[in-house]
Every structure is written in C-alpha cells, then in structure tokens.
Amino acid sequence: DFSKLICSVNQSDTDLLLQCQIMLHVDSMIGKNILQSFARLRRNLPFSQIAMAGARSTSSAPSDGEPHDPKSEGKTAKFNARSYLESRYVGQANEYRKQFVLKQFHDFYQGFHSEWNPEKARLLEFGGGPCIHTLISAAPCVSEIAFADYAENNLKEVRKWRNGDPCSFDWTSYFCYVVGELEGRSDQPTATTDREKLLRSRIASVIPCDIRKENPLGDLTNHGSHELFDIVSCSLTLVVTSVTHNEYKANLQKLLSLLKPKGFFIGIEALEMSWSCAGDTRYTTTEVTANGLHDIMRASGLEVLTSHCLNIPEEKRNKASNAKAYMFNAARRMY
C-alpha cells in the first residue's frame, strides 16, 4: 500500500518519495492516492527535501531558484545560484522573456506610483531568488526595499551585488534596457550607473523567508520594523511552493497579511505548468490558468488592476518547466 508507505516517510527517507513518484506513472488509482498523501506530506518537509526525491530520475535543467534547507549540505549543493543566473539571464535566447518582464514592471511603476508617497513607500520582494532585475523600475518610486528569499545561496548573490562586489553578476544590460530603452534616457551618459547606485541604496535588507511559516518573514522585529508594506512583489514563487489550489490560496493569504490595505500586490506567474526543474531536480507545481489565477486572487480580497500574458512558443520551451505562458498581474488589496 504505497499511500500508507509514503505517509510513514521521515525526513531522511527521500528515496521512498522517488519510488512513489515512479508509481504515479504505473497505476493511475495508486497514483491518485499517493499524490494526495504526497501533498499532505509536503507541508511538513523542507521544500528542498521534497524536490530532491526525484533528483536521480531527471536530466540536468536550468533552475528556477527553489528554496533549500540550509541544514542539508549535500542537497543545497545541487542548486548553484550563479550557474542559474548565467543559464537563464544571459544571451539572446532569453531576450524575449527579459523584455516582457522588464516592461511589465516598468509600466506598473510608471502608471501607479502616484498612488503612494515615494518618500515613505516600502516594497517587499518575496522569493526573489538571486535576481534584482524586477526592482530596477521600482528604485525611484519607493524609499526602501526588503529583499527576501529562502535560499542562502540566493541571498549571498544579492548581497554581493548590493555591496558592489566586482565578482557579482552583471545586470548592466538589464539596467540599460530599462533606463535607456523604456525610460528613453540613452542620451544621458550616467543614467544607468546612477540607477544602479540608487537601487543599491534602496535595498535596505536582504533577509530569509519561508512561505511554509504562518509569518513568512519570521519575527519582523529582527528586521527593524513591524510596519506592513505598501507593495509586495512575488514572481514564480507561489506556483512552485504549492501543490494544490487550496495551498496556493493559503500561501497567498500569508503574503497579503504583510501588505497594507489598499496596497499593491504584483508579480509574474507561470500558467499551465504542472512541473518545474531546479538544477537536476524535477518537482510538482500548482497548475493554474489565467482565469483560475484571477479567481484565486479575487477570492483572496484582491482587485486585479492590470494583467498581461506572454505565450511561450514551442521552440522557446526547455527543460526548466512545461509552462505554456507567463502572466504579469498588478492588483490592489481591498481589505
């Protein structure tokens, strides 16, 4: 009885999870029972440990920066933040995604920044991975940014960039596109470097987070403030840290508890994606459609203000996931 077997798994028995994942492809009825048990179990194990269960059954693929258990040395070594950046954020092959993402965040801040006071507004970037590019347009529009991620490897990369480490990842082409192309300031020689300096000064804290906890940021007193945020930005995090729609809703509610009433919730989400890869590990994700995601957002007390989709052409899809599209949403918390 594999459904009973999986319920008995402890945190060191990830081989059993692999066996049960294989059984999903053998018998649909057994697979259904296992999947239900797997979803319940996943809430109690570190995300990285669940993901690692299938590591040996998958081929190498670029990572989406999934969280890791810092205590699991061998497992966290599976994800290399720098390799992820170089595989997903460098080269012409990634240009179509880069331009879509940067334009959506640019348009949001250009269109809505008058709704808050830029001299006081606080932004939370939740589950940002090792990436800072979605914050380029935010820098002139907020006074302070808290950057949060589960994986210490990701936080180290962000700290290196914030501190001006010459060995940090080079985001120059992203700054040039936002400041030069989208903002039309290519004729100003120092505009790009000025924006880099501004963003570094805006990132006030680089802190750990855990969506599995009731308070995903832990004790906010450790980070200098009890205040709620004016903007919460979260991209490609909820869909990969949830198994079911109910779990997705619950995790979204946790994030909204950090947002002021009438505050803004923004981010990119993957559509119709049932699996994703981190390093050489393939794991289950929440599969949502555009309409389904909007229903979840509205049921959680959000008013969807703007939404744009980028369909992923067949030739652009890779081993990282089976997502069919990316969707940017900007929404306002109603209560």
Side-chain angles (χ1 to χ4, degrees), residues 163-220:
N163 296 337
D165 188 328
C167 295
S168 64
F169 185 76
D170 185 5
W171 292 100
T172 301
S173 67
Y174 287 75
F175 280 89
C176 288
Y177 183 75
V178 172
V179 178
E181 296 293 325
L182 298 179
E183 297 180 7
R185 301 170 59 196
S186 57
D187 59 336
Q188 301 177 27
T190 66
T192 298
T193 54
D194 288 346
R195 180 62 57 83
E196 290 184 30
K197 292 176 183 177
L198 179 62
L199 180 53
R200 287 187 171 102
S201 70
R202 291 288 191 260
I203 300 177
S205 55
V206 181
I207 56 179
C209 64
D210 189 345
I211 195 63
R212 297 170 301 139
K213 295 182 178 179
E214 195 61 34
N215 183 346
L217 293 183
D219 185 359
L220 288 179

Side-chain angles (χ1 to χ4, degrees), residues 254-316:
K254 294 176 187 178
L255 289 187
L256 296 183
S257 71
L258 303 172
L259 181 65
K260 291 180 178 178
K262 304 297 182 181
F264 292 86
F265 181 81
I266 62 173
I268 303 283
E269 196 58 283
L271 300 180
E272 299 182 63
M273 181 177 76
S274 61
W275 59 264
S276 184
C277 290
D280 60 357
T281 302
R282 176 166 155 168
Y283 53 90
T284 303
T285 62
T286 304
E287 189 169 359
V288 293
T289 62
N291 289 337
L293 181 56
H294 284 167
D295 288 344
I296 291 173
M297 294 174 71
R298 293 188 184 102
S300 300
L302 289 169
E303 176 191 8
V304 180
L305 303 173
T306 183
S307 181
H308 297 279
C309 276
L310 172 69
N311 291 322
I312 305 174
E314 193 70 37
E315 66 273 13
K316 296 288 187 181

Side-chain angles (χ1 to χ4, degrees), residues 31-281:
K32 182 178 180 181
N33 292 334
I34 293 174
L35 188 60
Q36 292 172 346
S37 299
F38 184 72
R40 290 193 296 271
L41 177 67
R42 183 173 180 165
R43 296 189 182 92
N44 299 319
L45 291 183
F47 184 89
S48 59
Q49 188 136 2
I50 295 296
M52 284 308 302
R56 295 186 299 281
S57 65
T58 56
S59 59
S60 180
S63 167
D64 276 330
E66 101 288 11
H68 305 287
D69 180 0
K71 297 178 182 177
S72 301
E73 300 266 340
K75 297 179 178 63
T76 55
K78 291 284 183 179
F79 177 71
N80 184 306
R82 189 54 178 264
S83 295
Y84 163 71
L85 289 171
E86 291 173 352
S87 66
R88 297 296 298 276
Y89 294 92
V90 175
Q92 196 62 33
N94 296 307
E95 196 68 17
Y96 80 103
R97 186 177 67 244
K98 162 187 168 182
Q99 293 183 7
F100 171 78
V101 171
L102 294 179
K103 187 177 188 306
Q104 299 312 310
F105 283 93
H106 163 79
D107 289 351
F108 167 74
Y109 286 107
Q110 287 295 304
F112 291 95
H113 71 274
S114 61
E115 298 283 336
W116 60 81
N117 182 351
E119 296 182 356
K120 295 182 178 179
R122 300 172 66 245
L123 163 66
L124 169 64
E125 176 69 19
F126 188 92
C131 306
I132 54 87
H133 61 300
T134 61
L135 302 173
I136 298 172
S137 294
C141 302
V142 299
S143 65
E144 178 183 318
I145 298 170
F147 187 100
D149 194 77
Y150 187 99
E152 182 58 29
N153 287 341
N154 290 336
L155 297 177
K156 285 180 180 178
E157 281 293 330
V158 173
R159 291 188 190 108
K160 283 167 62 177
W161 183 86
R162 183 188 64 170
N163 296 337
D165 188 328
C167 295
S168 64
F169 185 76
D170 185 5
W171 292 100
T172 301
S173 67
Y174 287 75
F175 280 89
C176 288
Y177 183 75
V178 172
V179 178
E181 296 293 325
L182 298 179
E183 297 180 7
R185 301 170 59 196
S186 57
D187 59 336
Q188 301 177 27
T190 66
T192 298
T193 54
D194 288 346
R195 180 62 57 83
E196 290 184 30
K197 292 176 183 177
L198 179 62
L199 180 53
R200 287 187 171 102
S201 70
R202 291 288 191 260
I203 300 177
S205 55
V206 181
I207 56 179
C209 64
D210 189 345
I211 195 63
R212 297 170 301 139
K213 295 182 178 179
E214 195 61 34
N215 183 346
L217 293 183
D219 185 359
L220 288 179
T221 59
N222 292 337
H223 310 307
S225 178
H226 290 283
E227 297 179 16
L228 299 178
F229 293 90
D230 299 271
I231 307 157
V232 171
S233 178
C234 180
S235 294
L236 300 174
T237 296
L238 293 178
V239 74
V240 301
T241 54
S242 308
V243 176
T244 66
H245 283 190
N246 285 338
E247 191 175 9
Y248 190 108
K249 292 176 186 176
N251 288 339
L252 175 59
Q253 286 290 352
K254 294 176 187 178
L255 289 187
L256 296 183
S257 71
L258 303 172
L259 181 65
K260 291 180 178 178
K262 304 297 182 181
F264 292 86
F265 181 81
I266 62 173
I268 303 283
E269 196 58 283
L271 300 180
E272 299 182 63
M273 181 177 76
S274 61
W275 59 264
S276 184
C277 290
D280 60 357
T281 302

